[in-house]
Amino acid sequence: QILIIIMDAFLGQWKMVSSENFDEVMQKLGVGFLTRKAGNTLKPTMTVTDLGNGKFNMKTSSTFKTTEFTFTFGEEFSEVTPDGRTVKSTITMEGSTMKQTQVDDKHTTYVERVVEGNLMKTTVKVDDVTCFRNYEKC
């Protein structure tokens, strides 16, 4: 019940308003030059939907690519990232922080999302590189 109340803050549509150090994270993941350049110019929209029965959908859309996945907290699932990598992801909620772990053959990526008012603050960590991306509620 508490998880549902906390998750309500994440539901809806979010537009990226700022991004810091994203190129460095993509480079660390081995993303090619052209894809990195395209990724750095985009301001994607993220939509989080409650599908019921503890399942949620997260869709990220831009002029470059649209990706989406459905998840249940604590259950591993397969995800294709916007840069085309296939990873095993797990999403959990710790307090009011949504934590996602993405694992592929070479790297583990940690994504944390926190909602503060109408801002969703996202931190992405790969090895020793950290990126900050902020989304505003639409």
Side-chain angles (χ1 to χ4, degrees):
Q1 188 71 5
I2 292 172
L3 182 59
I4 293 169
I5 294 168
I6 293 169
M7 193 57 196
D8 277 350
F10 289 90
L11 299 178
Q13 200 168 51
W14 302 86
K15 180 76 175 167
M16 192 180 77
V17 292
S18 67
S19 181
E20 177 186 328
N21 232 25
F22 189 53
D23 188 67
E24 289 81 352
V25 164
M26 288 191 294
Q27 194 169 4
K28 184 65 98 170
L29 290 169
V31 177
F33 178 78
L34 293 176
T35 302
R36 287 198 332 264
K37 291 306 158 201
N40 282 319
T41 62
L42 302 173
K43 301 272 189 206
T45 299
M46 179 185 299
T47 305
V48 183
T49 308
D50 184 345
L51 301 176
N53 296 321
K55 291 191 180 293
F56 298 90
N57 182 270
M58 195 173 288
K59 181 178 181 179
T60 304
S61 306
S62 71
T63 54
F64 181 64
K65 189 174 258 190
T66 297
T67 60
E68 71 179 301
F69 55 84
T70 298
F71 69 94
T72 301
F73 285 106
E75 292 184 11
E76 185 178 84
F77 61 95
S78 185
E79 175 188 0
V80 178
T81 63
D83 57 70
R85 292 174 300 117
T86 299
V87 298
K88 292 293 185 186
S89 278
T90 306
I91 298 178
T92 59
M93 190 69 83
E94 292 185 24
S96 60
T97 303
M98 182 188 298
K99 295 188 172 193
Q100 181 175 4
T101 304
Q102 300 172 320
V103 180
D104 67 16
D105 295 342
K106 299 176 184 170
H107 301 281
T108 299
T109 305
Y110 300 96
V111 182
E112 292 189 0
R113 299 175 179 95
V114 177
V115 174
E116 295 178 3
N118 70 337
L119 200 65
M120 179 169 51
K121 296 181 176 182
T122 303
T123 305
V124 182
K125 294 180 184 176
V126 180
D127 300 331
D128 59 342
V129 180
T130 302
C131 163
F132 303 96
R133 305 188 98 190
N134 290 323
Y135 294 79
E136 201 169 77
K137 192 99 176 213
C138 296

